[in-house]
Amino acid sequence: MSQATMQQIIITEPGGVEKLAYETVTVPTAQADEVLVKVHAFGINRPDILQRQGLYPMPKGVTPVPGLEVAGEVVAVGSDVSKFQVGDKVCGLTNGGGYAEYCVVPESQTITIPQGVSFVQAAAIPETFFTVWANVFQMGNAKAGETVLVHGGASGIGTTALMLCKSLGLKSFATVGSDEKVQAIADLTDAINYKTQDFEQVINEKTENGGVDVILDMVGAPYLEKNLNLLRRDGRLVYIAFLGGAKAKDVKLGQIMMKRLTITGSTMRARNTAEKAAIAQGLMENVAPLWAKGECLPMIYRTFKFDQIQEAHAIMDTGEHIGKVVVEVL
């Protein structure tokens, strides 16, 4: 490639959407185990919002430029790269830096875009599918025939989890914050408006007090008691965020023991390259065939142009989105 400079988006200081700005920098160089992607689209994710607010900084030594997922065309490869070549259409889970015209991605975190999948759709795949696969199906060990409860069911993570559950033979419930969102995901799950209904009561009624096997929770402390009540014996509660609070009181330890419950959680940012590679392999083996058939493709709420990053973040700030918000670079 001949282009020497590019535009990228930076966070000038912690704060609101007005703290997002553009700068011109040198195009990055792919290291031995990386591919350089000319970005056609990238996804906006909750960690990006938290990073902008100063609540979720990048690890030491990692670019402060936000952006965890991109889709585009490979324009250069590192000396050790063997799976990809210049011209390949790919999407990838970045280690940051996705809000740019070019981005380097580790080969092990890069996925070939299946035929028929657009760059916009592909840009919405990596962060949510890596997160859901790792937490629901690897750590949560969800299996066909089981029942999963997804809190935040209308989010990018939530819709991804619900699509995978439906395609892989699991029953699901989801909590959402409006009747509009209930209707929007009605074909994926049994959704419950937590603002007007008691989700614990509703699920108990619909399962004849049988409960659920796995819970994916991004709310945190306020839901802990209800979550523990709903879990079946050998149930698994998996945390990926705690937007409602990080400190829980009066935990029923006896209930955890009697039911043999597992409480766990993770962040994607803290995982090393080998761990992310294992997740990518799981997706390629189990989910890529679904994408190729047109199944489990991300639910896209809105797309924005590269010069509309503040507007894209503003939509995420409202929490009204259903599915993913994507920025088109080209």
Side-chain angles (χ1 to χ4, degrees), residues 22-327:
Y22 297 82
E23 68 174 6
T24 300
V25 297
T26 301
V27 173
T29 300
Q31 299 303 305
D33 62 343
E34 294 177 331
V35 298
L36 176 62
V37 177
K38 183 175 184 179
V39 180
H40 287 244
F42 60 81
I44 307 292
N45 293 282
R46 183 60 55 185
D48 304 341
I49 307 305
L50 296 175
Q51 182 182 348
R52 190 200 75 220
Q53 295 169 340
L55 302 175
Y56 193 36
M58 286 292 194
K60 186 176 181 179
V62 175
T63 175
V65 176
L68 298 173
E69 58 184 354
V70 299
E73 181 182 344
V74 175
V75 293
V77 298
S79 58
D80 294 342
V81 171
S82 60
K83 297 179 182 177
F84 301 100
Q85 59 188 4
V86 172
D88 286 348
K89 296 179 179 179
V90 300
C91 61
L93 182 73
T94 78
N95 292 331
Y99 285 18
E101 293 179 302
Y102 292 85
C103 180
V104 290
V105 185
E107 179 186 32
S108 60
Q109 296 164 210
T110 304
I111 295 173
T112 300
I113 299 176
Q115 189 75 21
V117 177
S118 70
F119 284 121
V120 166
Q121 290 172 316
I125 283 176
E127 172 67 10
T128 52
F129 277 88
F130 271 70
T131 298
V132 170
W133 190 258
N135 287 280
V136 177
F137 294 94
Q138 291 183 335
M139 296 176 65
N141 197 31
K143 301 180 291 293
E146 291 190 321
T147 301
V148 176
L149 167 59
V150 177
H151 292 302
S155 66
I157 293 287
T159 53
T160 296
L162 296 170
M163 287 189 295
L164 282 174
C165 285
K166 182 176 181 180
S167 289
L168 298 176
L170 293 90
K171 178 177 174 56
S172 68
F173 292 97
T175 59
V176 295
S178 70
D179 289 339
E180 176 190 10
K181 290 181 177 180
V182 168
Q183 292 303 315
I185 61 173
D187 62 332
L188 294 177
T189 189
D190 195 336
I192 303 161
N193 183 345
Y194 67 84
K195 293 182 178 179
T196 59
Q197 293 179 288
D198 182 330
F199 69 83
E200 179 186 359
Q201 179 180 343
V202 172
I203 293 173
N204 275 329
E205 290 174 354
K206 294 191 175 186
T207 62
E208 298 181 346
N209 294 314
V212 301
D213 300 287
V214 179
I215 299 176
L216 181 66
D217 190 350
M218 57 188 77
V219 177
Y223 283 2
L224 178 58
E225 182 175 3
K226 291 180 181 292
N227 284 341
L228 296 181
N229 291 342
L230 282 171
L231 282 170
R232 296 170 178 163
R233 182 173 291 183
D234 296 317
R236 291 85 74 195
L237 170 58
V238 186
Y239 285 105
I240 56 170
F242 36 82
L243 301 178
K247 295 183 179 180
K249 298 180 180 179
D250 302 321
V251 180
K252 297 178 181 178
L253 298 178
Q255 191 175 35
I256 296 172
M257 294 168 63
M258 294 300 293
K259 289 186 179 181
R260 301 193 298 264
L261 304 181
T262 298
I263 302 177
T264 186
S266 74
T267 64
M268 189 59 63
R269 187 160 292 180
R271 292 178 180 270
N272 61 37
T273 300
E275 291 170 333
K276 292 176 182 177
I279 299 168
Q281 187 62 34
L283 287 172
M284 290 303 298
E285 293 174 359
N286 297 281
V287 184
L290 299 175
W291 297 328
K293 294 190 295 184
E295 294 183 31
C296 285
L297 293 174
M299 186 181 294
I300 306 299
Y301 180 64
R302 279 191 65 180
T303 60
F304 292 86
K305 299 302 181 183
F306 189 56
D307 61 0
Q308 296 177 308
I309 190 62
Q310 292 186 0
E311 293 90 331
H313 266 236
I315 286 289
M316 292 288 290
D317 283 354
T318 68
E320 296 176 358
H321 61 288
I322 300 169
K324 292 296 294 279
V325 175
V326 175
V327 172

